[in-house]
Amino acid sequence: MTTTDIETVVQADAPAKRAGALRRLLRRPLGVMALFILASLIVLGLLEPVLNTHPPTFSSLQHVNAPPGTPGWPFGGDQYGRDIWARVLSSINVSLISALIGAGVGLMVGVGFGLIAGYVGKRTDAVSSWVFNLLMTFPSLVLIIILFPVTGGTFQSTMVIFGFFLAPGIFRLVRNLVVGVRNELYVDAARVSGLSNRRILTRHVLYVVRGPIIISAAFLASAAIGVQAGLAFLGFGAAQVSFGAMTSDAFVNIYSQPVQLVWAAGFLALLNGSLVLLGNAYRDALAAPQATVKRRPRRLLGEAVIKPAVSDTPSSKPAADATSGLLTVRNLWVKYPQPHGSEKAVVRGVSLDVAPGEIVGLVGESGSGKTQTAFSVLGLLPKEASVSADALAVAGESLLDKHAGAMRRLRGSAIAYIPQEPMANLDPSFTIGSQLVEGLSAGMSRREAKDTVLQLLARVGITDPVRTFKSYPHQISGGMAQRVLIAGAVAGRPKLLIADEPTTALDVTIQAEILDLLRDLQGEYGMGVLLVTHNFGVVADLCDRVLVMRSGEMVESGNVRSIFHQPQHPYTRELIASILDEETVRTDPAPGSARTHEEAL
Amino acid sequence: MRTKLATRAAAVTIVAAFTLAGCSSGGGSSQNNAAQVDRTLQLAITAPPSNFSIGNWSGGDATLFNSVYEDVLGFGVDGKVEPGIAETWEYNNDRTQLTLHIRKGMKFTDDTPVDAQAVVASLEVARKGASTSQNLSAVTSVKATDGSTVVVALSQPDAALLPSLASTVGAVGATKVLTAESSKLEPVGSGPYVLDKSQTTVGSTYTLVRNDGNWNAKAYPFKKVVVKVIPDATAAQNALRSGQLDVLPAAGTKETVAQFPQSQFTTGENKATAFGALWIVDREGKLVPALKDSRVREAINLAFDRDSIAKNLTGPGSAPTNQVFSPSGQAFSKDFLSKTPFDLDKARKLMAEAGYADGFTVTMPSTPVSTTFESTLTQSLSDIGIKVKWETVPFQDFYPKVFGGNYGMFFMYNGYSGSDAQDVKASLSGIFNPNQNTTPELQKLLAAANSASEADQGAAFRAVNNYLVEQSWNAPLNSTSGYYVASNKVKYTPPVSYGQNVKPYAPADSK
Amino acid sequence: MIIFLLRRIGAGLVLIFVVTAFTFFLTYGANIPVARNLLGNSANAEQIATLNAQLGLDKPIFEQYFRWLTSTLHGDLGTSYFTNQPVAEALAARLPVTLSVVVVASIITILVSCALGVASAARGGIIDSILQGISTIAFVFPGIVLGILLVFIFAIQLQWVPAIGYVPFAESPSAWFLSIIMPAVVLCIGGIAAMAAQVRGSLIDELGREYVRTLRSRGTSERSILLKHALRNAAGPALTTFSLQFIGMFGAALFIEKIFALPGYGTYAFNATIQGDLPAMLGVSLFGVGLVVVVNLLVDIAAGWLNPKARTS
C-alpha cells in the first residue's frame, strides 16, 4: 500500500470527480471572480454593436483627447479623436478572436496528434514526438515577425501560425495522459468489447484527459491574446483596432494623457488575468479537492496532528487497560474529507498494543486501513487527514496533540519505519551514504556518522559497504536498497519498528533473507515490531501475534498459533486459505499503473 | 501630426522616404560660436541611414550625410542657396548652362584635393544614382573646363537644380572611393565632420568628429556630435528628459512638449515640415472614371473642412493648406485657400453636374500614415456620395501597388524640401503622379517658372500653384510643423526643413 | 552522455536547416518588392531591374537558395539591403545587447522564482495565495506599463540609470549594468511568475514522493527535506521550464528593446521585417534558431549533470 491508495481513497471515480471539479471551481472566490470577469468581457464583446457609441475607427475632431465621461464618449477620446470605449469593445473582440484562433488551432493540432501518438504509440508516437519537440524549440515570435510580410499582416492569419507554435505543449500533455490511461482497465475493457479505436479515443480517453486540456486552453488563450497585443504594440498590424494598437497609441501619449494607457492596459490585464486565474483555479479545484471542502490552513509541509477523540465518535471497543506496553492505540479514527463535504473514515476505532520485543503482524487486504493505522503511529499521514484517538502512546509517551518538532524527534529515535518500495524511498539525487549520514549527523560528527553508517551497512549484510556508501540509488539492486533502508531505520536504535510490507516488492529469494535480517535485528536491538502485511505466510514466519483488519476495523486478534488453528472470523479464514495461492490474494493494483494515473490527475 | 505619426516605426520608413533631401542651414546663429570647441551635441534619428554612398541616399534625416559630405552648394535658413564647394556660380542667359567656380585649396579627409574633376566625378555618379538621377534629369553634361571651373549643361532650364546641388544630390566625395563598396558605410568627403568609426555602431550610434580642415569649420561649434538611433518617440522623450539627448527637433504636439519642465527645456514651434494630401492620381479616369472630371476633383476639394482638421485632428502645430508648396516659400499664397472653401452644397452640385449625383465607390490603401485621416476622409467623402473602401496594404507593397495603378487616389504625406521648384517637381513625379499626367498649360507654366530669373521665380511658381489649385490637381489638406524641445544647454533654431545638418544647433551660452 | 549530446547537436543542426529553409522559401518566395523599396519613389523601372539583377533576385528561387546556403556555410550571411552592413557582423554586434539583458533577467528570474516557489510550497495557505495573486498580476500586468514607471522613477526623476541605450561591458562594467538592469527587471516579471509556479508545482510533487516520507520517518528536518532533497529533485523540471522561459524572454526582448531603445537583436529583427530586408531576416532566423539549439544543448548538459543517472553512466 502506497500513497496511491490514499489518493484513491480520497478521490472518487473520475467522472464524479470531474463534475465536482466544476462545482468546486464555483465555490472558489477567485474562480467565480475570474469566470464573472471573463463572462462580462465576452458579453461586452458580443454586444459591441449595441453598446458602442461610435464605430471604433470613427474620429471626431472635436473629441481629440476628450476626457473620460464626455457625453457619448464614456472613456473619452484618444489622440485622434476616436472613441476609446468603442475601441475597447472592438479590441475585446479582436482579443477573443485571437484567443479562439490561437488556442483553437493549438488545441486541435495538439490534441489530435497527442491522442493519436499516445494511443497508437510506437513509430507514430516517435515521429510525432520528434516533430513536436522540433516545433517547441522554434523561436516562434521571431518567426512570426519574420513571416509577417508573408501572412499579409492580418491578426487572424498570424494567430493561425501562432496556434501551431502553441500545439507542442498540448501535444505533450495529451500524449502523456493518453499513454497513462491507455493501459488502464476500462480502455482494455472497451477494446475487448470491440469498440473502434476512434470511439475509444473520443469516448474514454478524451473524457479522462479533458480536465488538463481545459486548463491549458485558458493559458493558451491568454498567450495568444498577449502575442497579438504585443505584435500590435510593436506596430505589426497597427491599422487593426486592438489592445496592442491602443497601448501603442497611449504609450506615445503617456506624458500628456496617462489615463489613456489605463483603458488599454487595464482591459487587457483584466482579460488575461481572468483567463489565467480561471485556469489556476480550475487546476487547483481538480488537484486539491480537500482545500475547498475545509477552509483550514493548508500547510503543504508537515503532517496531520493526532487529536484526542471527542465524545461523538463511538469506540468500537471499550477503552482498554492503561498504557503499559511499547505501543498503545485506543479507538483510533482516520478520516478524509470528501469532495461533497462529508468525511470518509478509513480507520474506524482501532485499538492495538505492541509489547517491547514483540513482533505483531497487522494483516488485511488493500484498503483495510492497515497502512493508515501504521502511518498514524508514525505521525506521517498527510495533513488533510483528521486523526483522533482515545489514546496513542509509544514507550509511554503520548502522541496525542504532539507538535511536529516533537514528533520528528520521536521518529528519529523511538520509532522507525521500513517502507515497501525500496527504490522509491531513496532520494535519487543523493548518494546512499549522504542520505544515511543525514539521519545521524544530529548527535555526532560527520566522521563518526560515516563510520556508524559503514558499520550499519555491513551489519545489514552489504558486502562492500564503502562502495555502496558512495553509490547512487539507481546503482544498487532492490534487495540492497531494502537493506539500506533497514540500516537507515535501525540507525537511531528505535524501540518500535514499523515495517510496511517490507518484502512485497522484492524477489522471492531475497524476501527470505530480508525477513531473516529483520528477525536478527529485532532480537539484537530488542525492538518491538509492527509488521504491516497482506501475507499470512510472512506472519507465520515472523510474528508473535497477529491483528486482522478489514474495512478500517479490527476483526480479529490473537497469537499466531491460535489464529492459524482457530480463525474466528470468516475473513481471517479466507486470508489464511489463500496463503497457498499468494498471487490471487494480492489485489493491490500494480504500483506502476496506479502511479501514472495519479500523476495524470 | 507628421511627427506624431512618425513615431510608429512603420510610418517613419515611409514618411522619411518622402522627405526630400533638401538642404538648409541655420548658419546665422552659429557663425560666431567658434569658441565652443569641446562641446558634444547629442541628437537622435528615428531610423539608421542605409547608405552613405553618393547617388544612393534613400531619404530621411540627412544630418549625418550632409555633415560628412560638403555639397556643391549650401542652403540658407531662409531657403536661399549659399556657397559650398562652389564659391560662386552663374547661369547663362537662357539658364541652360550653369558655371560653378570651385573653392581652391580644399581637401577630402583622405588628403586628395577637392577640385573641378572631383566635383564632375561625383555629379556624374549622382546623374546615374537611383535616388538622384531624377533630380539631375535636365542635366546633359558636366564638364571641368579647368581645375576650378565646372560647367553644367542643361537640356532645359530647371529651377530645382540649384537647391538640388545644395542638398544630398550635390554631395561631393573622394573620387577613389565614390562607387566603392566601402563608401556605403565609410564615406570620405570634405564636410564639416568625419564619421568616427571607432565610436560608431552601425544601426545604433553614429559619432561625428569635427573636420577642422573644412573651409567653414568655424561655423560648427560642436567638436563632437553623437547621433543615436531611437525609433520610439517615447523612448526619445525619455532620453531627452534624462539628459541623454540635447534636442528633439520633432518632439510632437504642443501638448507633448508642454510636459517638459520649463526650467530645463526650451520648446517652440517648427517651420512647416510636411503636408498631408489626398493625391488624386487617376486623372485619366482609367480606374475611377469620375476622377477624370475636374468638377469631381473640385467637389472632393470642397468636401473637406480643412480648418477643422487642422484645429482638431492635427492640432496646434499644423495649418490648413490646399497647396503642394511650402508656406515658407514664395509660391505659397494664403489667398488661394479661399479657392477651396468647405462647401458641401456646391460640392454636391458639382458632383451632380458631372453626372455623379449618386456618387461612386473608390478603393484607397490603408497605411500606417493614413490611419489618422481615414475616418475623416471616409466621412467627408461620403458627404458628397463617394464611398471609400479601405484596403490594408503592407507598406512594402505600397509603392508597387500605387505604380501598378491599383488606386485612383490615396492619402500620403510629403515633406517640404525648402525649395518651391523641388516641391512642385516632387508632387508631379513618382507615386504622386504615377501616370505622369500633365497638360500643355501646366508645361508652359512650369517652363516659364524654371527659366525665370531668381527675382521672378516666386511669382512664376505661384502661377503654377494657382493652376494646380484651380484644376484641383490633388487635394492637399494640412501642413504640419510640430514642436521641438531643446535642453537649456543647446539653442535650436528651427530651419526651413529639419533634419538636414547640425547648423541649427548651437551651445545655449553662445549668444 | 557524449552520444546523447552528439545526437542532440545533430537534431539541432537539422532544426536550423529546416527553419532557415522554411523562412527562406516563404520570404524570398513572397515577392517582396525589395528593389522598389530600396530605391524609393523616384527610381525608374530600369534602375529597379538593374538592382534586382545586382541582388540576384531575378534568379530562380532554388538557385538563390543554393547560393544563400553555400555562402552561409562559408560563414557569409550576406549584406543587409537597407543598412549595407554584413548581416553576421550586425548580429554579432547586437546579440551581446540582447543576451546581456536576457542573461541578467534569467539570473534574477532563477533567484527570485526559486525563493518564491519554495516559500509558496512550504508555507502554503495565505502566503501561497498572496504569492499566486502577485504572480498572476505580474503575469498579466503589461510590461510596458512597468517599464514606463521604472524609467520615470529611476531614469528621469532619480537619474540613477540611463533611460535608453546600451553601454558595452568592455567599456564600463558598471555602466553596462546600469544600462541593462531596468530592461532586465521588466523582462523577467512574467517569467518569474511562470517559473515560481513551476518550482512550486515540482516541489509539491517531490514532497509527495515516498522518499520524502522515509526521510521524515528518520527525523530529517523539514528544512533539509525542502531545501536539500525536494529542491534538488525539482530542479530538473524547473530547468526545462527555464529553457523555454529563456527562449520566451529572447522573443519578449523585442518589446523591451523598443521601450529602452536598445540596439539589440529584437530591434534588428523588427527593422529587417518591416523593411523586407531578406538577408537580414534570414540571418535573424538563423541566429534565433541557432541560439535556441545552443540553449537547449546547455540545458541538456545541465540536466544531465543534475541527474546522477545520466552523470554516472
Side-chain angles (χ1 to χ4, degrees), chain A residues 57 59 61 64 249 255 257, chain B residues 8 234 238 255 259 312 375:
Chain A
T57 51
S59 76
L61 304 181
V64 170
D249 288 341
Y255 286 113
Q257 303 288 330
Chain B
R8 296 184 184 182
T234 307
N238 289 337
E255 223 174 351
Q259 305 299 315
N312 297 307
S375 51

Side-chain angles (χ1 to χ4, degrees), chain B residues 14 28 59 77 143 174 211 235 243 275 303 306 323 371 392 438 468 477 495:
Chain B
I14 295 183
V77 71
K143 286 200 180 86
N211 169 23
F275 67 104
R306 291 181 171 84
Q323 301 158 50
T371 42
T392 303
T438 187
L468 292 176
L477 299 175

